[in-house]
Amino acid sequence: LSPGAKMGCFTFIKVMMILFNLAIFLGGGTLLGVGIWVTVDQKSFLDIFGTFSSSVLQVVNVSYFLIVIGSILLVIGFLGCYGAQKESKCLLMMFFSVVLIIFIAEVAAAVVALVYTGLAEMLLTSVVTPLLKEKYGEDDSLTHIWNVTMEEVHCCGLNNYTDFTNSTWYEKYGVYPAPCSVRGSLALAHPYLCGCFLQGCFDKILEEIRTNAGVVGGVAAGIAALEIAAMAVSMYLYCHLDQK
């Protein structure tokens, strides 16, 4: 390619890098804002977006998740956008490094999720089950999230209804939460259930993920492709800055 063509290619890629990362920056700011909103007024958020209650996000604290993801996207977007605009090799290398770390973490998490599902369940159980026993019925936000989750997913607790045995809720009311209630023919067929679903939300969510494995895999592959492309573009700009 002639010097002019190379310069035009560099400028085009630089502009695309700026626009792409500007979109990431704005998206991160939006998620951060929503996360703060959820923290302040979680009930209103869940009432508006209740159709997504079967999401795995309901197992964890939605607000913290959004704040963390939003903050990470803000940092990535800023480094990529400002680094390309200022043609800063330092910022471009920082952008490359951050995206690479995130990519490696995602691959590691995917491997752990596929190979060590039992370990993931054990880790969740060690964190979530004590929260259910202590905070369900006491913390309004957590109670509302789990009620919506259990009603929509038709499950009880993280592992099963025994997550509420000896809990603050059970000791106070002497019954399991209402969403755990087995009704109609199911209750007649299985009276030994004590009016509760045996299957926990973790297993039900895994079933949903496996049922939609193609969609989940496609989204994951798309994200991975974008990350690889972003790293390639940032490295291209980094290596060609000296040749401008």
Side-chain angles (χ1 to χ4, degrees), residues 85-150:
Q85 198 275 326
K86 290 296 184 182
E87 298 184 358
S88 169
K89 297 185 72 172
C90 178
L91 291 178
L92 287 172
M93 181 54 68
M94 288 176 66
F95 172 85
F96 177 87
S97 301
V98 171
V99 176
L100 179 61
I101 290 171
I102 292 172
F103 179 78
I104 293 172
E106 288 171 348
V107 171
V111 171
V112 170
L114 291 172
V115 181
Y116 300 105
T117 304
L119 176 61
E121 183 177 8
M122 183 182 70
L123 292 173
L124 274 174
T125 299
S126 65
V127 174
V128 176
T129 303
L131 279 176
L132 282 176
K133 288 186 179 293
E134 296 173 16
K135 300 295 184 182
Y136 184 88
E138 300 293 319
D139 185 306
D140 291 339
S141 296
L142 182 141
T143 303
H144 185 71
I145 288 173
W146 274 95
N147 281 342
V148 173
T149 300
M150 293 189 291

Side-chain angles (χ1 to χ4, degrees), residues 12-234:
F12 174 78
I13 292 177
K14 172 185 170 181
V15 172
M16 290 299 101
M17 179 80 168
I18 293 172
L19 293 176
F20 176 72
N21 283 283
L22 179 60
I24 291 178
F25 182 83
L26 294 174
T30 301
L31 286 180
L32 182 61
V34 172
I36 294 172
W37 169 36
V38 174
T39 304
V40 174
D41 191 8
Q42 196 170 64
K43 284 187 177 181
S44 296
F45 178 84
L46 290 174
D47 287 340
I48 294 172
F49 298 99
T51 54
F52 300 108
S53 58
S54 62
S55 168
V56 71
L57 296 183
Q58 298 299 330
V59 177
V60 297
N61 193 305
V62 180
S63 58
Y64 292 154
F65 179 85
L66 292 175
I67 289 172
V68 170
I69 296 299
S71 300
I72 291 173
L73 290 179
L74 273 176
V75 171
I76 292 174
F78 172 78
L79 290 175
C81 184
Y82 194 69
Q85 198 275 326
K86 290 296 184 182
E87 298 184 358
S88 169
K89 297 185 72 172
C90 178
L91 291 178
L92 287 172
M93 181 54 68
M94 288 176 66
F95 172 85
F96 177 87
S97 301
V98 171
V99 176
L100 179 61
I101 290 171
I102 292 172
F103 179 78
I104 293 172
E106 288 171 348
V107 171
V111 171
V112 170
L114 291 172
V115 181
Y116 300 105
T117 304
L119 176 61
E121 183 177 8
M122 183 182 70
L123 292 173
L124 274 174
T125 299
S126 65
V127 174
V128 176
T129 303
L131 279 176
L132 282 176
K133 288 186 179 293
E134 296 173 16
K135 300 295 184 182
Y136 184 88
E138 300 293 319
D139 185 306
D140 291 339
S141 296
L142 182 141
T143 303
H144 185 71
I145 288 173
W146 274 95
N147 281 342
V148 173
T149 300
M150 293 189 291
E151 287 170 359
E152 294 292 329
V153 184
H154 303 298
C155 58
C156 184
L158 182 68
N159 300 293
N160 51 50
Y161 73 94
T162 59
D163 287 346
F164 295 103
T165 302
N166 300 321
S167 66
T168 302
W169 172 272
Y170 193 84
E171 290 177 357
K172 187 175 182 179
Y173 298 104
V175 295
Y176 292 99
C180 292
S181 212
V182 174
R183 300 174 181 85
S185 59
L186 184 60
L188 294 174
H190 303 283
Y192 58 86
L193 292 184
C194 302
C196 290
F197 288 113
L198 278 176
Q199 191 168 24
C201 295
F202 183 82
D203 290 334
K204 291 285 285 185
I205 290 172
L206 278 183
E207 283 182 10
E208 289 192 16
I209 292 174
R210 286 167 183 152
T211 301
N212 299 282
V215 175
V216 174
V219 171
I223 293 173
L226 283 175
E227 290 170 340
I228 292 172
M231 287 188 288
V233 169
S234 64

